[in-house]
Amino acid sequence: MVATGAFYTGEYRNLLAEYGYDKDEIENRVQETWERLFSDKYPETQIYFSVGDDLGYMLDTGNDDVRTEGMSYGMMMAVQMDKKDIFDRLWNWSMKYMYMEEGENAGYFAWSCATDGTKNAYGPAPDGEEYYAMALFFASHRWGDGEGIFNYKKHAQELLHRCIHKGEDGHGYPMWNRDNKLIKFVPGVEFSDPSYHLPHFYELFALWSFEEDREFWKEAAKESRKYIAKAAHPETGLSPEYAFYDGTPNHIRGFGHFFSDSYRVAPNIALDYEWFKDNACPVVVNEKIQAFFADKDPEDYRRYKINGEPFEEKSLHPVGLIATNAVASLSTSGENARKAVELFWNTPVRTGGRRYYDNCLYLFSLLALSGKYKIWMP
Ligand SMILES: O[C@@H]1[C@@H](O)[C@H](O[C@@H]2CO[C@@H](O[C@@H]3CO[C@@H](O)[C@H](O)[C@H]3O)[C@H](O)[C@H]2O)OC[C@H]1O
């Protein structure tokens, strides 16, 4: 099938099987990992919690809060795993507690809440909104739309419309810069976070958003692919957490280095390549990242300057980094690709206080590497 521009491959490689891992074991690993994250049978690895009959949240165990990032990730995991009850609980919790009805950010979601639903902040984080929109479209296509907040498609379209038009009436700010089509770190600033760029989502938004918004998303996909390439260091492939629109690191509050946020750049490139194989997809960045980590000991992963110089500080999410380096192999080949997958396969999901971010990245990588992270078409 041909989307407008990029080619939708419709193919999902089971790379783990291609590398010789047993298909039943792969399937078991996927099911078991889902259980480990979403079931209270496994309190040491659990990050999802049900509340009452129709609510649930993802807990950032490291920060003891509920983030739009995790809620929207949980919804994406649930739709890929065909878990409608969990999806609806997460969306219900998001709409009940995180959605903002008033103020400068009305129509967006508060990026962090306490587990009782109290808002910790009245600002959004755009990576949450874009994952919500994509998960809602997939839910609409996989399960059909319901009433009210469960009219998934309507909510996805309206949210995306707001993300690019907010502020046109003088109140608040859009989440994308309307001139250069790049996603912002937060609506009120003019810089970006390379890991927020999801051209493979924007290709689909260009098909399913309101007609008037489709051209914008098509352009956004193109500009994001260019931006991802620009923000990555030319030798190491490492991207900073925050970067200016020209791709140079933004060192505000120490976020100009390769650390937690940055890990998501590799899987974003890999999934874009898997889904669309667009010529402009910067797969070379993933080749460089895998080459950079090929001789690094996972026990000693650090914070790095994007030129590769290590800080004393250890990585906060080494399991997440193992996972994201592995999924990069969907867009690379050779020994580094194989070794990164092997390391991931031999690494268990994380236990302990910091497990949330690692385990989110772990399940996403496992889904993609087993051919189970799919586009759900209408
Ligand atoms: O200042 C906040 C800003 O922090 C917020 O960003 C969200 C939080 O950080 C990002 O992910 C984290 C990566 O590090 C792990 O240790 C954390 O557990 C993750 O949550 C996340 O992608 C952002 O959404 O955005 C709003 C700003 O006001």
Side-chain angles (χ1 to χ4, degrees):
M1 182 181 293
V2 179
T4 49
F7 180 68
Y8 159 61
T9 66
E11 281 165 23
Y12 305 99
R13 291 169 71 194
N14 184 338
L15 190 64
L16 290 166
E18 285 177 33
Y19 280 161
Y21 299 100
D22 181 80
K23 279 199 172 152
D24 290 338
E25 273 186 53
I26 298 167
E27 182 59 31
N28 289 343
R29 179 74 69 93
V30 171
Q31 297 304 331
E32 187 194 310
T33 301
W34 167 269
E35 288 292 308
R36 285 192 180 278
L37 270 53
F38 284 81
S39 162
D40 54 16
K41 277 190 290 183
Y42 299 100
E44 69 283 5
T45 48
Q46 182 184 12
I47 55 174
Y48 165 82
F49 298 84
S50 285
V51 181
D53 291 339
D54 57 1
L55 293 163
Y57 61 80
M58 306 287 287
L59 178 67
D60 183 335
T61 52
N63 294 294
D64 197 26
D65 66 354
V66 180
R67 300 181 166 201
T68 50
E69 167 201 67
M71 296 298 279
S72 59
Y73 283 6
M75 285 164 58
M76 179 60 80
M77 292 165 186
V79 71
Q80 296 295 342
M81 295 292 292
D82 201 14
K83 307 281 185 186
K84 186 172 185 305
D85 174 58
I86 304 255
F87 184 100
D88 285 348
R89 284 172 176 268
L90 290 168
W91 180 231
N92 197 13
W93 204 99
S94 301
M95 286 301 287
K96 188 176 166 91
Y97 297 121
M98 307 184 104
Y99 187 73
M100 291 179 281
E101 303 275 359
E102 55 192 30
E104 179 179 291
N105 290 307
Y108 293 147
F109 294 81
W111 77 277
S112 165
C113 282
T115 54
D116 66 2
T118 310
K119 290 179 180 62
N120 291 327
Y122 286 83
D127 58 336
E129 271 71 1
E130 57 184 348
Y131 263 88
Y132 277 133
M134 193 75 271
L136 287 165
F137 278 127
F138 287 166
S140 165
H141 302 160
R142 190 159 196 188
W143 300 317
D145 290 311
E147 298 291 321
I149 67 163
F150 301 111
N151 187 339
Y152 308 122
K153 180 180 169 190
K154 174 175 176 282
H155 280 274
Q157 289 178 321
E158 289 176 356
L159 179 56
L160 289 179
H161 187 77
R162 224 169 279 135
C163 285
I164 55 181
H165 294 286
K166 198 168 167 65
E168 284 174 352
D169 62 358
H171 296 293
Y173 301 92
M175 288 192 162
W176 270 257
N177 178 301
R178 282 192 287 263
D179 297 324
N180 63 25
K181 318 286 187 297
L182 300 178
I183 189 169
K184 303 174 181 184
F185 165 60
V186 291
V189 305
E190 291 300 342
F191 63 88
S192 193
D193 176 326
S195 77
Y196 284 13
H197 289 256
L198 307 174
H200 49 309
F201 284 14
Y202 312 154
E203 292 286 358
L204 298 172
F205 295 166
L207 298 178
W208 304 328
S209 60
F210 291 139
E211 291 243 11
E212 71 208 75
D213 297 334
R214 292 181 184 175
E215 189 51 40
F216 180 92
W217 292 114
K218 195 69 213 165
E219 289 295 314
K222 273 194 215 139
E223 294 308 318
S224 274
R225 288 190 182 108
K226 285 190 226 158
Y227 185 76
I228 292 168
K230 252 195 308 196
H233 188 275
E235 275 149 39
T236 63
L238 304 183
S239 300
E241 295 195 280
Y242 303 165
F244 296 108
Y245 290 145
D246 64 1
T248 55
N250 179 351
H251 289 287
I252 182 174
R253 292 188 282 129
F255 282 94
H257 304 298
F258 180 85
F259 203 52
S260 309
D261 277 26
S262 320
Y263 300 175
R264 299 175 291 203
V265 171
N268 295 342
I269 293 172
L271 208 56
D272 182 30
Y273 185 71
E274 174 78 354
W275 284 5
F276 290 104
K277 301 266 182 311
D278 191 279
N279 286 337
C281 178
V283 291
V284 64
V285 170
N286 277 357
E287 287 162 8
K288 290 174 184 170
I289 294 173
Q290 286 190 326
F292 176 78
F293 281 104
D295 65 354
K296 306 277 178 300
D297 175 1
E299 299 287 326
D300 194 32
Y301 285 164
R302 308 283 187 86
R303 179 195 287 273
Y304 301 95
K305 290 189 179 168
I306 65 167
N307 67 7
E309 214 178 294
F311 288 90
E312 277 302 309
E313 188 182 354
K314 292 267 202 175
S315 164
L316 204 51
H317 302 292
V319 171
L321 184 52
I322 288 170
T324 56
N325 285 346
V327 78
S329 301
L330 281 171
S331 59
T332 61
S333 57
E335 208 37 36
N336 289 343
R338 180 179 290 277
K339 278 195 171 152
V341 170
E342 188 181 344
L343 175 61
F344 173 62
W345 183 254
N346 293 325
T347 301
V349 290
R350 187 168 177 185
T351 56
R354 282 283 172 193
R355 66 186 182 274
Y356 148 84
Y357 190 63
D358 298 80
N359 290 352
C360 284
L361 299 179
Y362 191 105
L363 181 52
F364 275 144
S365 293
L366 187 59
L367 288 170
L369 284 169
S370 60
K372 289 176 181 291
Y373 198 152
K374 296 183 181 170
I375 297 174
W376 292 90
M377 296 299 271

